[in-house]
Amino acid sequence: MTEPYLVGLDLAGRRVVVVGGGTVAQRRIAGLLAAGADVEVVAPEATTAVEGMATAQELRWTARGYADGDLEGAWYAVACTDDAGVNAAVAAEAERRHVFCVRADDAPAGSAVTPAVGRHDGLTVGVLAGRRPRRSAAVRTALVEALQAGLVDDSAEPVRPGVALVGGGPGDPELITVRGRRLLARADVVVTDRLGPRELLDTLAPHVEVIDASKIPYGRAMNQARINELLVEHVRAGRFVVRLKGGDPYVFGRGFEEVLACVDAGVPVTVVPGVTSAFAAPAVADVPVSHRGVAHEIVVVSGHLAPGDPGSLVDWPALGRLRGTVVLLMAVERIAAFAAVLIDGGRPADTPVAVVQDGTMRIQRSLRATLATVADAVREHGISPPAVVVVGPVAGLAAGPVTS
Ligand code: SAH
């Protein structure tokens, strides 16, 4: 068997005909549209997603069976019906017209094959492995993961100085975003907090400077102004700085202050959203923060100030009147006061409460209680920060053992 010739096609604005409207077509279409192709789908029936793309005018859908002549003017064709006879007819017309054609059911019978494709930071990786698609997919995935983890140095040009404010997720190193991971692998300097995926720091190259800006609750705090200064100083010294935050940078993380400081100093800054512990910690403890027919609202509240504190911006009486979900962060120390003020505001004392400490981490612990009992339960179980408190009927739901 001859080796195929691997090539990159510029399909922008060029007619591509996809015969078939099932899930195989759907998978191929996504890549074709991303390449800017002018896609026509020919199929009597199509998946809801393909139909949706037709409605949104991302492609044209000709709702009938394939007929000879459909490939007129095409640069490329994909035959992916579940009828081998139709696919063969499409391939035959393609051959006649000198149009390259992929056959989904019988790759060697087509004149082109689709490689396993991966993307990373403007790089496209394509892998062909003869008739062994699992092998090509596995190699593709390994390559992309190696690039994401920074194991392959693909930096043809130096990284531009600037700050990336990266939401690292709740703690499990697998819960950072793909973009966050990629930028972390490019960092010259990483400024961390106590929260977030600490294990990822082990994966950094030895030359990367790690600065711990831990703001341990009720402990030693590195002044926020000093953190802001540090970010700016390092960028001015020509470095690319990742400010790695726990959860999402803008959920009670002072992330916006850091962005403003960078903007004020004229330093380039980008934000990468993250998976917030407000939703992730409950999720891994079998608590959905919303559920149809149970909770149609979710309010995330900071507990860093007591209910009566003059600086508090929280309308506790209003929260007491809610029927949905209230998620409290930084609330462990004052849980008795928060439970009391919610009950005073009208929330029934038997409202279910779940408390999740160190969510998504190996040391994760959780408990279930009610508004009336949660303060005692927290004390008894020795719950300490970081923990998320979920108040509302969703905290009384459980699916049973869910592996995460
Ligand atoms: N930006 C972060 C929140 C910062 S405020 C985010 O989006 O997750 C810090 C509070 O977040 C902690 O006091 C705790 O309430 C919560 N928290 C952060 N990580 C947590 C985790 N892994 N498990 C439980 N709570 C967590």
Side-chain angles (χ1 to χ4, degrees), residues 129-211:
R131 294 186 204 182
R132 298 169 67 187
R134 278 175 198 241
R135 186 178 179 210
S136 49
V139 171
R140 176 271 325 269
T141 303
L143 277 172
V144 171
E145 283 179 356
L147 285 162
Q148 283 167 357
L151 296 175
V152 179
D153 184 9
D154 63 320
S155 48
E157 52 206 63
V159 181
R160 285 222 313 250
V163 173
L165 200 65
V166 173
D172 180 334
E174 295 212 315
L175 291 177
I176 190 170
T177 63
V178 172
R179 185 180 298 171
R181 183 88 199 266
R182 173 163 70 70
L183 294 180
L184 192 62
R186 290 279 170 99
D188 302 306
V189 179
V190 179
V191 183
T192 65
D193 282 335
R194 194 178 72 100
L195 298 173
R198 300 293 305 230
E199 285 166 50
L200 286 179
L201 302 179
D202 284 350
T203 68
L204 298 173
H207 72 271
V208 179
E209 184 180 350
V210 178
I211 300 171

Side-chain angles (χ1 to χ4, degrees), residues 169-171 195-196 217 245-253 275-278 281 328-331 356-361 385-389:
L195 298 173
K245 320 264 307 175
D248 181 275
Y250 286 170
V251 178
F252 307 135
V275 173
T276 179
S277 67
L328 304 170
L329 302 191
M330 298 178 276
V356 188
Q357 176 185 326
D358 293 307
T360 80
M361 292 185 268
V388 165
V389 179

Side-chain angles (χ1 to χ4, degrees), residues 41-110:
V41 174
V42 179
E45 278 156 40
T47 65
T48 322
V50 171
E51 204 183 325
M53 291 186 264
T55 309
Q57 298 188 331
E58 290 183 90
L59 52 79
R60 263 165 303 116
W61 173 26
T62 302
R64 58 159 171 77
Y66 162 77
D68 192 66
D70 280 348
L71 300 192
E72 161 130 45
W75 290 75
Y76 192 67
V78 182
C80 51
T81 73
D82 51 14
D83 182 329
V86 172
N87 292 347
V90 175
E93 183 188 345
E95 194 71 23
R96 217 170 61 230
R97 293 183 182 271
H98 296 191
V99 173
F100 281 106
C101 176
V102 175
R103 263 190 76 166
D105 57 330
D106 182 3

